[in-house]
Amino acid sequence: MSQYQSVKGTRDIFPEEAAQWNYVETIVHKLAALYGFREIRIPIFEYTELFQRGIGSTTDIVGKEMFSFQPDPKGRSITLRPEMTAGVMRAALQKNLFSLAPVHKLFYIGELFRKERPQAGRQRQFSQFGAELLGVSSPAAVAEVITLMMQVFKSLGLNGLKLRINTLGDSEDRLRFREALQAWFAPFHDILDEASKERLEKNPLRILDSKNPAMQELVSGAPRLYDYLKESSLQDFKKVLFYLEERGIAYEIDHRLVRGLDYYCHTAFEVTSSELGAQDAIGGGGRYDALARELGNSADVPASGFAVGIERLLITMEKQGLLAAIPSDAPVVYLVVQQQDLADHGMQIAWQLREAGIKTEIDLAGRSMKAQMREANRINAAYALFLGATEYETGHYSLKNLVTSEQTTLTLEAIVQFLREQRLQQCGN
Ligand code: AMP
């Protein structure tokens, strides 16, 4: 055993599990394409100010969870990305995407880093897939983003996820609400926890998002932003809900949902799974028109998006028994070489099968026939193909179905044909 262990809050993904990841990622690619979202890949690290400006300095992420470092003494501080949206917007603005076309629909899959206390479903390196619809903000755009996210869940067979949704209004609505909140919390100043005291001045909305049970109880009596919305904000929200209803997407309005990041406006949403325990959020998102301006753009860029945690998605799939249905990546054929002097011929046949797109495994260590059979079973090969002196001379090979034990003797060409007809998994075809 090595003296080294993986870093706290990180984990390794071995091949069986990687197959599950690939499956999820394939569905994401497929459905994103169906909705016209194209993939963007951005750097793992960015200048620290991007997140400070983009996410907001009063958030937990920026306040205490960023992995930041200074590559050289005079250099600017750099941070491992703790979320994707700020980086995607930075990339879009830097590339001047909006001069090419007004609307850009982007999706991503990638790793994020947050210095949180590791526990079940919470890591320091984790992964998300998500989508960002940039350049248009309308109830239709928000509904499109939510629908794509929900369709991914549905395609993966997930059940019982809860979509909670809220509106944060526009900046005017929030300003009025902010004053109302400050006035309401003022008499409770002494019983506020330290974080909430600080937030009372800077961003009282975030007190509503407190994870502290004592604060949550207090918050339950606080005024609702919903009651401070102007008519147009209310209509915007109702239209989003209308689209969801039209599509049969069940939701629950949650007036306390503010989400952890500062850049949201109007619709915000979160999806939870009761199977996840304390860390029950599987994904979330919303509309964030003001982010571009926060990043120094001269105007707002209307935008909305979502992000889903892949680890938590897979934990939920496991709890719901959905992982067993994922197609396995077991090889189709195990080529059993009966005599050592036929090993080279075996290699040639394996190569021919692979050229024909048939997944093939062969022993490379000169092991006995018994050991080869054991290996074929261990890796769940569907068929064993036997190569002995007779097969070598006649060009007819015995193919054994390892599940039913049925055996047929065919030429290599016929075997390829047969396996294709069986519609068994062919690599690369
Ligand atoms: P957030 O950007 O915080 O809304 O996160 C979006 C999703 O990413 C969450 O709903 C989780 O599924 C996932 N996520 C966030 N933080 C972590 C973490 N530390 N470990 C694992 N998954 C996470």
Side-chain angles (χ1 to χ4, degrees):
M1 201 173 107
S2 157
Q3 70 186 98
Y4 298 107
Q5 304 279 306
S6 58
V7 174
K8 187 168 90 167
T10 69
R11 56 194 293 274
D12 304 302
I13 295 168
F14 288 97
E16 293 75 24
E17 217 186 321
Q20 299 160 2
W21 281 74
N22 283 329
Y23 179 75
V24 169
E25 290 174 12
T26 304
I27 298 258
V28 170
H29 277 266
K30 259 204 213 138
L31 291 181
L34 195 65
Y35 280 77
F37 285 76
R38 298 164 72 213
E39 188 179 12
I40 182 165
R41 301 185 188 200
I42 55 170
I44 296 258
F45 46 68
E46 301 270 359
Y47 288 119
T48 303
E49 303 104 87
L50 175 78
F51 302 118
Q52 288 168 335
R53 288 304 303 255
I55 302 175
S57 53
T58 59
T59 59
D60 281 351
I61 294 184
V62 172
K64 36 185 198 207
E65 296 171 2
M66 295 204 299
F67 283 103
S68 301
F69 57 98
Q70 207 143 353
D72 60 80
K74 289 204 198 105
R76 284 160 76 184
S77 169
I78 276 173
T79 294
L80 297 182
R81 60 189 187 195
E83 57 97 57
M84 286 287 216
T85 304
V88 169
M89 184 60 92
R90 193 263 316 133
L93 294 173
Q94 182 175 341
K95 183 88 175 165
N96 216 355
L97 280 191
F98 302 105
S99 69
L100 305 173
V103 176
H104 295 271
K105 296 161 85 174
L106 303 168
F107 83 96
Y108 58 79
I109 300 176
E111 289 74 36
L112 292 309
F113 305 86
R114 292 184 195 172
K115 209 185 295 169
E116 295 187 272
R117 199 169 47 78
Q119 64 181 84
R122 191 163 74 189
Q123 297 171 204
R124 291 187 156 186
Q125 178 182 324
F126 62 99
S127 301
Q128 290 180 343
F129 67 83
E132 313 288 3
L133 208 170
L134 309 179
V136 55
S137 262
S138 59
V142 173
E144 177 132 309
V145 160
I146 299 177
T147 309
L148 167 58
M149 177 182 72
M150 296 308 283
Q151 194 166 339
V152 172
F153 295 143
K154 193 169 158 192
S155 297
L156 293 170
L158 284 158
N159 279 310
L161 300 183
K162 196 196 278 178
L163 170 66
R164 292 179 304 125
I165 190 163
N166 191 20
T167 176
L168 306 175
D170 65 10
S171 51
E172 286 171 17
D173 298 329
R174 279 200 304 279
L175 196 63
R176 262 181 291 133
F177 181 56
R178 185 191 160 111
E179 284 160 10
L181 267 187
Q182 278 168 333
W184 191 85
F185 276 115
F188 300 109
H189 189 271
D190 289 349
I191 57 167
L192 290 179
D193 62 15
E194 281 312 306
S196 300
K197 276 187 183 134
E198 205 175 303
R199 286 168 179 165
L200 187 59
E201 289 312 311
K202 290 191 195 154
N203 189 351
L205 244 86
R206 300 227 45 251
I207 302 179
L208 304 180
D209 196 30
S210 173
K211 301 283 178 286
N212 178 348
M215 290 302 102
Q216 283 172 346
E217 203 185 319
L218 178 65
V219 156
S220 63
R224 307 186 316 179
L225 182 102
Y226 199 78
D227 300 319
Y228 290 79
L229 295 176
K230 62 167 83 70
E231 185 56 25
S232 59
S233 301
L234 195 60
Q235 288 313 321
D236 182 288
F237 188 49
K238 288 192 170 160
K239 192 76 198 248
V240 173
L241 302 181
F242 162 79
Y243 284 125
L244 298 182
E245 283 157 25
E246 287 272 285
R247 294 165 202 183
I249 297 174
Y251 63 82
E252 196 176 281
I253 297 177
D254 178 351
H255 294 293
R256 300 286 160 223
L257 179 76
V258 297
R259 308 250 321 130
L261 317 183
D262 275 356
Y263 51 56
Y264 289 108
C265 62
H266 292 288
T267 312
F269 53 89
E270 197 155 87
V271 175
T272 51
S273 158
S274 56
E275 272 122 338
L276 280 175
Q279 301 301 318
D280 65 349
I282 198 165
R287 188 167 144 185
Y288 53 92
D289 300 358
L291 173 63
R293 202 194 279 266
E294 278 300 320
L295 300 185
N297 200 48
S298 56
D300 280 0
V301 170
S304 46
F306 74 81
V308 170
I310 304 182
E311 285 83 0
R312 290 189 200 170
L313 181 81
L314 285 166
I315 294 172
T316 310
M317 286 179 70
E318 186 187 10
K319 296 250 160 92
Q320 298 192 2
L322 298 169
L323 296 182
I326 293 178
S328 94
D329 59 355
V332 170
V333 171
Y334 195 97
L335 187 63
V336 179
V337 180
Q338 291 169 320
Q339 294 167 212
Q340 266 320 298
D341 56 353
L342 292 174
D344 288 350
H345 187 60
M347 295 302 297
Q348 178 67 10
I349 290 178
W351 175 77
Q352 277 175 267
L353 289 172
R354 288 165 177 165
E355 280 276 287
I358 306 291
K359 285 169 81 174
T360 308
E361 199 51 84
I362 184 169
D363 172 53
L364 299 173
R367 282 181 289 186
S368 70
M369 194 177 142
K370 207 167 143 198
Q372 291 179 57
M373 281 307 292
R374 236 191 343 258
E375 182 64 6
N377 285 317
R378 193 187 71 78
I379 63 173
N380 284 326
Y383 290 91
L385 180 66
F386 294 99
L387 169 60
T390 320
E391 284 83 2
Y392 180 65
E393 277 154 28
T394 61
H396 284 70
Y397 300 85
S398 307
L399 183 72
K400 182 177 178 183
N401 183 320
L402 291 177
V403 178
T404 63
S405 293
E406 266 174 86
Q407 198 154 325
T408 41
T409 302
L410 299 164
T411 63
L412 204 55
E413 234 174 32
I415 285 172
V416 167
Q417 180 83 17
F418 171 78
L419 291 175
R420 283 194 162 157
E421 278 163 15
Q422 297 282 302
R423 290 176 168 223
L424 286 167
Q425 180 56 48
Q426 298 139 15
C427 237
N429 282 17

